[in-house]
Amino acid sequence: MKIIENYTDLNQEYHKSVVAIGNFDGIHNGHKALIRKVVQLANQNARLAGLITFTPHPRVFFSGEKNFSQINDEVTKQDILSRQDLDILFKIKFNQHLSLMPPDVFFNHVLKNGINVSHIIVGSDFKFGYKRSGNIEILRDLSKENDIGFDVIEKQANSLSKTYSSSSIREYLLQGNIAEANKMLGHYWYTMGVVITGANKGNQIGYPTINIRLDGSIKFAHGIYATNVYIDSKRYQGATYYGKRPTYDGTEEFLETYIFDFNSNIYDHEVKVEFIDFVRYDQTYESDNKLKNQMKIDCENVLIKLQYYDKKFSLLDK
């Protein structure tokens, strides 16, 4: 997948692509249906399959990362998209200039004269342009006037008629309901990061952990999770804690993982942590010994949960 950030001087080989447009936070089952349509149409017409997205997320731009919870950071989002059979990812910088463009100016500047698309596919709730004043009717008319193909993909739902949506997934993550979030995503939710030096508290109680600092816009329930950890493409089982370490009066959020049957030094290595299920919420313990006893119970529960997961549901094992 070719990543293109400058669309104003685009090489002609990337012109006339079939594209989807959106924020695509989470890349859930609804997004994947839209992307499959893009890939299918591109293949049928011997075109490149592309996706146009924005960085930062417009809601982060307007409200700041502390006031908006994203499902994926940019690195993880790009990693997921690289597994969707797309040829091109157009990463459009969302800034003041772009936010003030009326719908017709955005269409002409970005889609027609910039990327020079041949076909546009969007979701039924797509909005664009200044103050989200452009809708699918406006986009359909602009596309027709400029001889550009246009399709709308209706909202997708599961067998229980629950619509796939990024907002629902954010709520599930904040609740610790990782199982429902994963069902909506169609893959195990995961995050990526570089292993950093920690406070060595886990090692002191017999459970050494790897520590990762996450993007500040990623928010989910503090507690213990059953996870898979990928190091140099090899999968390990893990018990992951996310929170502020209240037992030690912590103030900063960390992601730390005890990896079963693993004792190598991997500082500065990039790892991927895949969340399979939630075990319990964060708690404060009166002593290291009580925390150690709880960790033993947590690890037993983690291994029980990991016995039943479906490996085919993982993007990272493919």
Side-chain angles (χ1 to χ4, degrees):
M1 183 179 72
K2 174 74 173 178
I3 298 168
I4 296 175
E5 297 182 358
N6 180 13
Y7 62 88
T8 57
D9 188 23
L10 192 62
N11 191 306
Q12 284 195 354
E13 68 178 297
Y14 302 117
H15 287 193
K16 298 300 179 182
S17 57
V18 178
V19 300
I21 315 172
N23 292 314
F24 297 97
D25 189 21
I27 327 295
H28 56 61
N29 282 324
H31 294 144
K32 290 173 185 173
L34 195 155
I35 293 171
R36 284 195 297 271
K37 178 68 175 178
V38 168
V39 173
Q40 178 188 40
L41 196 59
N43 289 341
Q44 289 173 352
N45 293 278
R47 302 290 189 186
L48 295 177
L51 185 142
I52 300 172
T53 190
F54 306 94
T55 179
H57 191 294
R59 289 178 64 179
V60 171
F61 174 80
F62 286 115
S63 62
E65 66 176 25
K66 291 184 178 180
N67 299 312
F68 176 65
S69 175
Q70 290 193 116
I71 299 169
N72 298 123
D73 59 28
E74 285 298 318
V75 174
T76 307
K77 176 180 177 179
Q78 187 172 303
D79 188 70
I80 297 170
L81 288 172
S82 71
R83 304 169 192 275
Q84 306 301 315
D85 297 323
L86 291 164
D87 298 305
I88 320 168
L89 173 61
F90 296 100
K91 294 178 66 174
I92 307 298
K93 185 174 179 58
F94 194 88
N95 52 25
Q96 188 75 9
H97 176 66
L98 195 73
S99 72
L100 295 175
M101 286 185 183
D104 60 329
V105 174
F106 174 86
F107 180 91
N108 288 318
H109 180 70
V110 178
L111 302 177
K112 178 185 175 183
N113 300 326
I115 299 174
N116 189 16
V117 302
S118 67
H119 202 108
I120 298 167
I121 303 176
V122 295
S124 58
D125 58 351
F126 180 73
K127 298 288 193 298
F128 70 109
Y130 178 60
K131 291 187 175 180
R132 293 167 52 86
S133 55
N135 54 27
I136 58 173
E137 286 75 21
I138 292 173
L139 186 54
R140 179 183 287 111
D141 290 343
L142 288 168
S143 299
K144 185 176 181 180
E145 290 169 10
N146 290 277
D147 198 27
I148 293 172
F150 181 74
D151 278 299
V152 175
I153 299 295
E154 296 300 322
K155 286 182 176 293
Q156 305 291 301
N158 62 18
S159 59
L160 300 176
S161 299
K162 187 166 182 60
T163 301
Y164 300 119
S165 76
S166 296
S167 58
S168 294
I169 295 168
R170 292 186 196 105
E171 290 178 10
Y172 286 138
L173 291 176
L174 290 171
Q175 295 165 4
N177 195 345
I178 194 72
E180 287 301 317
N182 287 339
K183 289 176 185 177
M184 281 211 159
L185 289 167
H187 62 264
Y188 291 119
W189 181 68
Y190 70 96
T191 191
M192 304 163 63
V194 174
V195 177
I196 60 174
T197 303
N200 206 34
K201 295 293 186 182
N203 195 52
Q204 292 172 13
I205 62 173
Y207 291 92
T209 60
I210 61 167
N211 297 266
I212 300 170
R213 183 177 286 109
L214 296 183
D215 185 297
S217 65
I218 307 300
K219 298 177 176 65
F220 55 106
H222 291 181
I224 300 290
Y225 295 83
T227 58
N228 287 323
V229 184
Y230 291 80
I231 305 167
D232 297 328
S233 299
K234 185 175 180 180
R235 177 169 52 86
Y236 300 87
Q237 294 179 316
T240 294
Y241 166 78
Y242 177 63
K244 295 183 178 180
R245 303 165 176 156
T247 299
Y248 302 109
D249 299 320
T251 58
E252 187 177 2
E253 290 171 320
F254 276 94
L255 187 75
E256 51 183 327
T257 300
Y258 171 69
I259 306 174
F260 295 93
D261 303 317
F262 184 85
N263 59 6
S264 298
N265 184 335
I266 54 170
Y267 289 122
D268 297 325
H269 279 60
E270 183 178 76
V271 300
K272 299 180 182 182
V273 181
E274 188 178 56
F275 289 72
I276 310 304
D277 207 351
F278 184 72
V279 176
R280 66 167 175 86
Y281 290 107
D282 203 0
Q283 297 178 35
T284 303
Y285 296 92
E286 296 176 357
S287 67
D288 283 357
N289 194 50
K290 288 187 176 181
L291 176 58
K292 180 178 180 178
N293 291 338
Q294 183 60 51
M295 279 295 297
K296 182 176 184 296
I297 296 170
D298 290 338
C299 286
E300 291 171 353
N301 289 332
V302 163
L303 290 174
I304 290 170
K305 286 180 177 291
L306 290 177
Q307 284 181 350
Y308 298 102
Y309 87 97
D310 181 3
K311 294 178 182 177
K312 294 180 181 178
F313 204 59
S314 171
L315 283 174
L316 304 178
D317 281 339
K318 295 178 181 178

